[in-house]
């Protein structure tokens, strides 16, 4: 029988990470949950190998509209609002929980972001991050971000307003979602600064396009930018927002007119100040994405880490020695950065004698970091390890020691290591683990976490890895492998040796695909 830790599920992992002090500000590496969210939020990349193939922001969150003026950024914000719209402040149910993907009549479950969730990243945390990134990519304000949303297993009640409704209905709908009338007015303006109304959805409002642009869309405020033109054009009477002007004097669908005017235009007039508009939207969109079921606890705000270690991989290299790969992100450029490590099986390196310089460095620049006035630098290390192994590492940055608050960056074990560069991606994904050859494991296995398509990340039943004779032993390690269907997934590797279970946790195969 396997030791019980194998039974720990994804939910339990998340609950433990959220409940721990890590997210209360005293960050300590490794914190894979925070590390994952922080990396995706600020670098547009997930935790894992530094050169992973998919860049969240670059591929999915450009503000430039598609050729027919549709906007990916707008899709994300509307999707998040509709998901959150099931919240009921009276009984604490519903909210941003990805239940949208299971609700009827909702053709919105197939957006680009579905390729991201993994063991630590829920669909709803991804959606919330999409709102933050879409807003800032389009020139809008910085929305503070928390993690910890949990994906629902069941659909929620209906809650999305439709434009035919009365002002009173809208006010009651937003009250149930947790917003006052004034907040409703501002939140709708903040949402409708992006995107517009589509012909296939509202053919009486929007004329069909020509053949090339059959999905014709009429922008609410004529600009793809996150700006307050939506407000100023409403106030000065120049707006072409179809939810204000309607079609041919027909006011059935003029929901924005009913919403914006519901307090005699007082709120809209205040939002004519662009700084007030930006600050109001940052606050209200932040509350929108933080609207979650009562039994879900979010983390504190995730600020950029001043020192970020990522992509740590110790593994047998090409020659007969171990190699250590990792990246270090610092807030600023440093003159000299050195990696030091301590040997696991001797004292020979402990004094700092074993060291390596970065192989390169690069400025990390994303819209969110720019908006925060930050330009961190990321150093890549890839060094052979002369002696048997590594127990911990640390850095010297311009003469100052950076050692994870005193403990060093500890590599818990070296009995089982992921060996990504010996794996392969073809019809099947071949996963390779390196196991130290000084004892024979009684079992080597892995848990994989895979997306079911659109709504959940599932931990699959364990798969055994077997000794792979086609991979010659190296650096004191034998290689074990298993081939499974799938492409990019996250996995945990385990080896049971002398009755004890060793784990190499949260590895990523994205780079292979
Ligand atoms: C009274 C409440 C609301 C009503 C009646 C309403 C109605 C609509 C309608 C009719 C459309 C056009 C959809 C289509 O053509 O498929 C739309 C689009 C949109 N709505 Fe709302 N909305 C409301 C509130 C909100 C809120 C609170 C947000 C976000 C904060 C939001 C964000 C968006 C976005 C971003 C789009 C554009 C989507 C795109 O272009 O892809 N809406 N809304
Ligand atoms: C896109 O929007 C611009 C500005 O409103 C407009 O001039 C252009 O015709 C639109 N293109 C399409 C394909 O609708
Ligand atoms: C007004 O628009 C609504 C929704 O498109 C439509 O059902 C209704 O027939 C229209 N009314 C008139 C008088 O055209
Ligand atoms: C609010 O502003 C709109 C647009 O200028 C205008 O049509 C409407 O009459 C105003 N409503 C009130 C109550 O002032
Ligand atoms: C929260 O409550 C809902 C409804 O009772 C339940 O389905 C869900 O599993 C709960 N979630 C958590 C994280 O406890
Ligand atoms: C470590 O980095 C080197 C240089 O980029 C790369 O060739 C190698 O595949 C990496 N090894 C692992 C185990 O990730
Ligand atoms: C730094 O080196 C790593 C590993 O070889 C590589 O993946 C990455 O693209 C390099 N970065 C830059 C900016 O050259
Ligand atoms: C590695 O270990 C050998 C002895 O096993 C020792 O002579 C050598 O100095 C060590 N290398 C380093 C860099 O400490
Ligand atoms: C995996 O290996 C364990 C221990 O050797 C064994 O008990 C189990 O049946 C194997 N599982 C599968 C699916 O082969
Ligand atoms: C383990 O690997 C080392 C280094 O590759 C080798 O010298 C040693 O003979 C191997 N031991 C066994 C039991 O295969």
């Amino acid at each position: 029988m396997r030791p019980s830790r194998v039974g720990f599920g994804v939910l339990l992992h998340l609950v433990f990470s959220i409940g721990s002090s890590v997210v209360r500000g005293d960050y300590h590496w490794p914190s894979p949950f925070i590390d994952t969210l922080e990396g995706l939020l600020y670098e547009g990349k997930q935790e894992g190998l530094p050169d992973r193939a998919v860049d969240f922001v670059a591929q999915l969150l450009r503000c430039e509209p598609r050729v027919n003026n549709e906007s990916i950024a707008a899709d994300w914000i509307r999707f998040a609002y509709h998901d959150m719209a099931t919240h009921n402040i009276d009984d604490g149910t519903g909210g941003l929980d990805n239940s949208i993907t299971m609700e009827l009549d909702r053709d919105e479950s197939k957006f680009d972001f579905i390729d991201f969730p993994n063991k630590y990243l829920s669909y709803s945390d991804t959606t919330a991050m999409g709102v933050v990134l879409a807003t800032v990519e389009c020139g809008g304000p910085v929305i503070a971000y928390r993690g910890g949303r949990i994906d629902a297993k069941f659909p929620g009640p209906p809650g999305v307003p439709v434009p035919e409704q009365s002002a009173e209905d809208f006010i009651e709908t937003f009250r149930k979602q947790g917003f006052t009338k004034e907040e409703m007015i501002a939140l709708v303006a903040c949402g409708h600064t992006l995107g517009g109304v589509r012909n296939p959805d509202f053919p009486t409002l929007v004329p069909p396009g020509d053949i090339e642009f059959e999905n014709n869309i009429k922008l609410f405020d004529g600009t793809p930018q996150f700006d307050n033109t939506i407000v100023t054009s409403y106030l000065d009477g120049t707006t072409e927002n179809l939810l204000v002007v309607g079609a041919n004097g027909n006011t059935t669908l003029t929901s924005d007119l009913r919403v914006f005017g519901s307090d005699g235009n007082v709120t809209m007039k205040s939002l004519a100040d662009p700084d007030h508009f930006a600050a109001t939207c940052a606050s209200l969109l932040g509350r929108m994405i933080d609207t979650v079921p009562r039994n879900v606890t979010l983390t504190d705000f995730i600020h950029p880490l001043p020192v970020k270690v990522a992509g740590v991989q110790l593994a047998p290299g090409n020659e007969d020695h171990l190699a250590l790969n990792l990246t270090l992100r610092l807030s600023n450029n440093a003159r000299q950065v050195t990696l030091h490590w301590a040997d696991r099986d001797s004292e020979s390196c402990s004094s700092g004698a074993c060291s390596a310089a970065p192989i390169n460095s690069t400025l990390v620049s994303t819209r969110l970091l720019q908006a925060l006035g930050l330009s961190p630098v990321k150093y890549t290390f890839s060094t052979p390890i002369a002696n048997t192994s590594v127990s911990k590492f640390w850095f010297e940055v311009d003469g100052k020691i950076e050692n994870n608050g005193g403990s060093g960056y500890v590599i818990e074990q070296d009995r089982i290591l992921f060996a990504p560069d010996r794996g392969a991606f073809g019809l099947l994904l071949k996963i390779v683990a390196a196991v130290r050859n000084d004892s024979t494991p009684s079992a080597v296995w892995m848990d994989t976490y895979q997306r079911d398509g659109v709504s959940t990340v599932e931990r699959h039943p364990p798969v055994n890895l077997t000794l792979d004779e086609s991979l010659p032993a190296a650096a004191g390690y034998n290689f074990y492998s298993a081939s499974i269907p799938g492409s990019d997934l996250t996995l945990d590797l385990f080896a049971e040796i002398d009755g004890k279970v060793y784990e190499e946790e949260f590895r990523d195969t994205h780079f292979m695909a």
Side-chain angles (χ1 to χ4, degrees):
M1 234 191 64
R2 282 191 179 130
S4 63
R5 67 187 290 192
V6 184
F8 277 40
V10 58
L11 203 62
L12 219 48
H13 267 290
L14 286 174
V15 169
F16 280 147
S17 347
I18 293 158
S20 77
S21 61
V22 160
V23 290
R24 300 254 182 272
D26 50 338
Y27 170 88
H28 197 256
W29 183 90
S31 298
F33 176 54
I34 297 299
D35 291 343
T36 298
L37 294 176
E38 199 264 6
L40 192 56
L41 181 62
Y42 293 109
E43 296 183 37
K45 289 184 163 72
Q46 293 186 53
E47 175 79 355
L49 297 185
D51 59 346
R52 65 176 298 126
V54 179
D55 184 324
F56 189 56
V57 172
Q59 292 198 8
L60 301 180
L61 279 168
R62 294 156 317 192
C63 193
E64 300 93 75
R66 297 187 234 244
V67 65
N68 67 347
N69 281 343
E70 287 187 315
S71 150
I72 300 174
D75 282 346
W76 281 72
I77 291 178
R78 184 169 67 143
F79 183 83
Y81 171 61
H82 285 187
D83 189 22
M84 165 276 181
T86 58
H87 184 66
N88 182 339
I89 199 172
D90 299 329
D91 65 7
T93 59
L96 201 67
D97 61 1
N98 203 46
S99 60
I100 186 170
T101 57
M102 286 169 284
E103 284 149 21
L104 292 174
D105 296 331
R106 292 205 181 178
D107 185 28
E108 299 176 70
S109 55
K110 51 187 179 340
F111 287 122
D112 313 272
F113 70 85
I114 60 174
D115 282 345
F116 288 91
N118 64 33
K119 176 177 176 181
Y120 286 110
L121 184 64
S122 68
Y123 279 85
S124 24
D125 274 350
T126 313
T127 302
M129 200 180 289
V131 171
V132 175
L133 295 178
T135 300
V136 79
E137 282 292 312
C138 292
V142 174
I143 302 166
Y145 180 80
R146 305 171 189 271
R149 293 165 197 78
I150 295 176
D151 295 333
K153 300 265 179 285
F154 308 101
V160 175
V162 293
E164 293 85 343
Q165 289 175 294
S166 66
E168 290 67 37
D169 286 353
F170 292 141
I171 292 166
E172 171 57 14
T173 298
F174 278 81
R175 185 201 65 78
K176 265 184 117 171
Q177 294 164 356
F179 296 91
T180 64
K181 179 169 72 181
E182 290 71 23
E183 290 167 348
M184 165 187 80
I185 295 165
L187 188 58
V188 173
C190 298
H192 290 177
T193 183
L194 298 183
V197 187
R198 287 183 170 76
N199 163 265
D201 300 328
F202 296 94
T204 62
L205 281 180
V206 191
D210 58 30
I211 290 156
E212 197 186 348
F213 305 119
E214 62 177 43
N215 197 10
N216 198 23
I217 184 167
K218 173 74 177 169
L219 296 180
F220 291 121
D221 70 359
T223 81
Q225 296 306 311
F226 194 106
D227 57 23
N228 74 341
T229 311
I230 182 79
V231 176
T232 53
S233 65
Y234 165 80
L235 291 172
D236 68 16
T238 60
T239 187
E240 294 181 16
N241 177 350
L242 291 174
L243 298 184
V244 172
V245 299
N248 309 315
N250 183 332
T251 57
T252 306
L253 298 173
T254 55
S255 56
D256 280 0
L257 182 64
R258 289 192 280 283
V259 168
F260 294 164
S262 64
D263 71 346
N265 292 336
V266 173
T267 299
M268 288 301 270
K269 282 179 185 153
S270 76
L271 296 173
D273 170 9
D275 292 338
H276 182 59
F277 178 79
T280 304
C281 293
S283 161
L284 290 176
L285 290 170
R287 274 177 51 200
M288 178 179 93
I289 61 175
D290 288 354
T291 299
V292 292
R294 191 156 59 195
N295 58 0
V296 173
T297 306
L298 298 179
T299 67
D300 284 349
F301 291 129
I302 297 179
H303 300 296
L305 290 166
V307 178
K308 174 80 184 271
V309 169
V312 176
Q313 185 62 64
L314 181 66
N318 295 329
E319 284 140 46
D320 199 23
H321 53 63
L322 281 171
L324 177 62
N325 286 1
L326 60 89
T327 63
L328 169 69
R329 198 189 73 210
L330 299 173
S331 310
N332 296 299
N333 207 357
R335 274 170 287 114
Q336 195 170 11
V337 182
T338 308
L339 168 71
H340 294 279
W341 64 90
D343 189 58
R344 182 173 292 279
D345 302 313
S346 77
E347 293 297 308
S348 55
C349 291
S350 57
S351 61
C354 300
S355 67
I359 59 171
N360 66 32
S361 69
T362 182
L363 202 68
V364 184
S365 183
T366 63
R367 269 308 270 267
L368 182 54
L369 289 169
Q370 284 163 20
L372 291 166
L374 300 174
S375 44
V377 179
K378 188 172 203 167
Y379 297 84
T380 302
F381 294 88
S382 179
T383 180
I385 301 294
N387 288 45
T388 44
S389 194
V390 171
S391 60
K392 65 179 175 183
F393 58 90
W394 66 95
F395 304 92
E396 202 176 328
V397 179
D398 291 339
K400 187 173 162 284
I401 299 298
E402 186 54 66
N403 60 4
N404 200 23
S407 64
Y409 295 86
V410 173
I411 295 180
E412 289 290 343
Q413 59 85 31
D414 70 345
R415 297 300 185 98
I416 180 164
L417 300 171
F418 187 35
D421 44 11
R422 282 172 171 81
F425 178 70
L427 287 176
L428 293 173
L429 185 64
K430 181 177 176 181
I431 303 293
V432 179
V435 180
R436 261 176 75 155
N437 74 354
D438 48 10
S439 51
T440 304
S442 49
V444 180
W445 71 96
M446 64 179 169
D447 288 343
T448 61
Y449 295 82
Q450 301 196 41
R451 295 179 290 277
D452 72 344
V454 296
S455 60
T456 52
V457 179
E458 280 166 10
R459 185 164 62 92
H460 285 225
V463 172
N464 288 336
L465 281 70
T466 54
L467 188 65
D468 190 329
E469 308 280 2
S470 75
L471 296 170
Y477 284 78
N478 294 319
F479 295 98
Y480 286 69
S481 71
S483 291
I484 54 166
S487 52
D488 62 298
L489 47 87
T490 48
L491 55 92
D492 300 333
L493 291 163
F494 302 88
E496 190 180 34
I497 298 166
D498 300 331
K500 194 166 184 282
V501 173
Y502 298 87
E503 180 180 7
E504 170 96 312
E505 203 247 343
F506 194 48
R507 299 292 127 174
D508 187 330
T509 66
H510 217 124
F511 70 98
M512 291 169 158

